[in-house]
């Protein structure tokens, strides 16, 4: 073991899919990890259960009402968590001196300020919240290098890429001879459905991912392949590779989690069962390897691995994300904000599935003169792009 002291972990988004998998890994290794802070947005009851099990020092809810609910639920018990609320409290626990490691697993742009606070405070940052990097790539990576934070990717593809890269990459990327990053994509639940039938897709169908169990927003992103688009942008910032050297390969079995091709023709891949506890445990224990509760990969059962090119007509969101990355500046932040609004509208049955891409494209066309130089300007850009996307939604409902 390289580290004997117990790592004190803040799990931001503890009630979510990644949060619960993280707590599962923590519970398997009480000699290594301690959950000192847990955060949720609205699920006070779930949070009370987690507090009873993990006994954190801090529990953060989204607002005063939810915090009061949680306090009331804990009042009769022997749980002594300090209950806080709001985005300042999230950033405070992420940067707290008694926290070593921050799992950034809040969904959407809402996760940026706390993830950035962790990066600025020089923590070990386990980044699941890809939207944070899409919004603030340069600012976030600068914060990591200035503070000496350790950034480890949780997204399974980026964690796979990280595993397929030499340890010297962070210090000397030019000497590693990387030719391409190959991000694998399952193709989601609609890879083989007829284009016509996509018109009537329901949120339930979109959230029924063939290989992964995830939160609703990322499940819809997987169905549109915007998830892969956001991951291309994420890979660009994490590994400093330009968009023309990041390729997407549809691989329906989700066994190869991504690959790196080198100048000598070698292609290194990371394989495993699709279970997020693998990348979570990898990043939490890095550079050690620990038990994660994931069953062995049975290659005989899987039998064949297949690969396809992404269908650009079926998945226009993927192309929109490449466009945003090439355009640079505020374009990825606008893309992300419009996507969040459009996906929420789809989940509320206010927008047809195939119109998600249209709302994003229209918002990107309209958004002008926005900047992403500071956290404040990024949040303003995010708010402005959301306004534009909502106006586009409203115009569609009138039409
Ligand atoms: P979930 O929707 O399952 O969970 C989201 C978590 O964030 C919950 O704890 C939720 O609290 C909290 N939350 C939601 N909105 C806010 C807000 N406005 N402010 C503060 N907290 C909030 O999401 P996932 O776990 O699926 O995804 C989390 C992140 O990880 C996303 O960025 C996603 O892209 C990324 N990711 C997820 C993967 C997966 O397998 N799930 C794989 C790779 C990346 P509450 O429960 O109280 O609402
Ligand atoms: Mg992923």
């Amino acid at each position: 073991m390289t580290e004997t002291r117990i790592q004190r972990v803040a799990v931001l988004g503890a009630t979510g899919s990644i949060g619960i998998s993280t707590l599962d890994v923590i519970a398997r290794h009480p000699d290594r990890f301690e959950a000192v802070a847990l955060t949720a947005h609205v699920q006070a009851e779930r949070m009370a259960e987690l507090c009873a099990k993990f006994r954190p020092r801090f529990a953060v809810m989204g607002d005063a009402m939810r915090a009061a609910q949680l306090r009331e639920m804990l009042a009769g018990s022997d749980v002594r968590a300090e209950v806080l609320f709001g985005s300042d409290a999230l950033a405070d626990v992420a940067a707290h001196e008694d926290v070593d490691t921050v799992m950034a697993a809040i969904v959407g742009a809402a996760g940026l300020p706390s993830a950035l606070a962790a990066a600025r405070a020089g923590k070990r940052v386990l980044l699941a919240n890809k939207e944070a990097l899409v919004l603030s790539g340069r600012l976030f990576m600068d914060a990591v290098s200035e503070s000496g934070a350790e950034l480890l990717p949780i997204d399974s593809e980026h964690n796979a890429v990280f595993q397929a890269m030499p340890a010297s990459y962070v210090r000397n990327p030019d000497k590693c001879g990387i030719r391409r990053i190959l991000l694998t994509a399952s193709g989601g639940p609609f890879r083989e459905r007829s284009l016509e039938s996509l018109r009537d897709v329901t949120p339930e169908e979109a959230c029924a991912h063939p290989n992964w169990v995830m939160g609703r927003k990322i499940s819809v992103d997987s169905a549109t392949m915007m998830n892969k688009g956001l991951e291309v942008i994420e890979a660009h910032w994490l590994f400093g590779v330009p968009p023309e050297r990041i390729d997407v390969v549809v691989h329906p079995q989700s066994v190869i989690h991504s690959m790196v091709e080198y100048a000598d023709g070698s292609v290194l891949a990371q394989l495993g069962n699709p279970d997020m506890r693998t990348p979570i445990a990898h990043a939490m224990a890095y550079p050690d390897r620990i038990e994660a509760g994931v069953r062995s990969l049975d290659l005989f059962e899987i039998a064949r691995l297949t690969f396809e090119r992404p269908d650009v007509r079926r998945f226009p969101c993927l192309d929109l994300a490449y466009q945003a990355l090439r355009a640079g500046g505020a374009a990825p932040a606008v893309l992300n904000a419009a996507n969040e609004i459009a996906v929420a509208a789809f989940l509320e049955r206010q927008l047809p599935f195939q119109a998600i891409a249209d709302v994003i494209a229209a918002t990107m066309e309209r958004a002008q003169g926005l900047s992403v130089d500071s956290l404040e300007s990024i949040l303003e850009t995010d708010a402005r792009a959301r306004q534009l996307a909502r106006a586009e939604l409203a115009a569609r409902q009138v039409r």
Side-chain angles (χ1 to χ4, degrees):
M1 251 167 73
T2 45
E3 178 138 353
T4 45
R5 194 166 66 78
I6 291 194
Q7 261 187 70
R8 297 163 301 178
V9 186
V11 184
L12 313 183
T15 47
S17 157
I18 294 287
I20 295 295
S21 292
T22 303
L23 290 170
D24 182 275
V25 174
I26 289 177
R28 286 167 193 276
H29 300 279
D31 54 325
R32 276 182 171 265
F33 309 115
E34 178 191 354
V36 288
L38 301 180
T39 88
H41 195 46
V42 295
Q43 293 200 71
E45 206 170 332
R46 193 91 206 266
M47 185 64 147
E49 290 162 17
L50 296 178
C51 286
K53 180 161 181 204
F54 291 93
R55 304 188 159 263
R57 225 175 108 188
F58 303 106
V60 185
M61 295 302 300
D63 56 36
M65 186 190 79
R66 262 74 184 223
Q69 283 174 353
L70 179 61
R71 277 191 206 107
E72 205 172 301
M73 287 175 208
L74 297 180
S77 74
D78 61 348
V79 179
R80 296 281 163 266
E82 188 178 334
V83 179
L84 309 165
F85 64 89
S87 57
D88 288 350
L90 282 177
D92 289 347
V93 298
H96 197 282
E97 60 178 1
D98 293 337
V99 166
D100 307 306
T101 298
V102 174
M103 169 57 80
I106 290 172
V107 62
L112 170 61
S114 49
L116 189 61
R120 285 179 170 159
K123 304 298 183 193
R124 172 176 274 209
V125 183
L126 314 183
L127 189 68
N129 177 232
K130 63 193 88 188
E131 295 92 341
L133 262 191
V134 171
L135 279 162
S136 73
R138 165 114 29 232
L139 191 81
F140 196 94
M141 295 311 287
D142 285 351
V144 168
S145 54
E146 277 159 27
S147 71
E150 193 180 8
L151 180 59
L152 292 159
I154 295 299
D155 215 343
S156 58
E157 297 75 6
H158 306 74
N159 184 270
V161 168
F162 180 78
Q163 293 196 45
M165 280 182 170
S168 60
Y169 181 78
V170 178
R171 290 186 310 281
N172 218 338
D174 298 337
K175 290 226 167 127
C176 293
I178 287 168
R179 193 186 271 168
R180 278 192 305 162
I181 287 177
L182 296 146
L183 290 182
T184 51
S186 68
F190 305 141
R191 184 175 60 88
E192 290 182 310
R193 265 179 67 154
S194 73
L195 281 179
E196 297 70 52
S197 74
L198 290 185
R199 250 182 294 163
D200 312 316
V201 156
T202 64
E204 291 70 32
E205 288 172 310
C207 289
H209 195 278
N211 305 337
W212 300 93
V213 181
M214 308 181 286
R216 279 160 69 79
K217 190 261 178 184
I218 185 178
S219 297
V220 177
D221 286 349
S222 297
T224 61
M225 275 190 88
M226 177 57 92
N227 182 48
K228 211 49 54 182
L230 299 177
E231 290 182 357
V232 169
I233 302 174
E234 182 185 12
H236 164 74
W237 288 113
L238 281 174
F239 306 115
V241 174
E244 60 277 12
R245 293 205 279 128
I246 306 171
D247 289 346
V248 171
V249 180
V250 174
H251 164 50
Q253 297 81 17
S254 297
V255 166
I256 296 181
H257 299 314
S258 277
M259 296 169 261
V260 181
E261 182 183 315
Y262 289 88
D264 60 7
S266 297
V267 178
L268 300 193
Q270 186 261 353
L271 284 72
N273 282 313
D275 186 324
M276 287 306 293
R277 291 176 301 179
T278 295
I280 290 168
H282 170 263
M284 287 188 71
Y286 182 79
D288 295 352
R289 296 273 183 175
I290 56 171
E291 170 64 43
V294 179
R295 66 187 176 92
S296 281
L297 183 64
D298 186 341
L299 286 171
F300 300 110
E301 190 188 314
I302 294 157
R304 56 198 355 254
L305 301 179
T306 60
F307 306 95
E308 297 163 18
R309 275 180 215 287
D311 176 347
V312 286
R313 278 198 330 136
R314 184 178 295 267
F315 300 116
C317 285
L318 181 59
D319 190 47
L320 288 172
Y322 269 105
Q323 281 176 34
L325 178 55
R326 286 194 200 97
V334 171
L335 170 99
N336 180 69
N339 182 55
E340 286 192 28
I341 295 295
V343 169
F346 166 70
L347 286 171
E348 285 156 21
R349 299 174 207 273
Q350 304 287 314
L351 186 73
F353 179 75
Q354 284 172 310
I356 293 173
D358 301 336
V359 169
I360 299 165
T363 307
M364 285 170 72
E365 264 171 39
R366 287 212 183 112
Q368 303 286 335
L370 299 172
S371 116
V372 284
D373 301 338
S374 61
L375 179 58
E376 293 67 34
S377 66
I378 291 168
L379 296 179
E380 274 167 30
T381 290
D382 178 64
R384 176 72 188 131
R386 280 166 198 266
Q387 261 176 5
L388 291 169
R390 282 195 197 98
E392 179 59 30
L393 279 179
R396 291 179 152 265
Q397 271 147 14
V398 171
R399 255 178 243 154

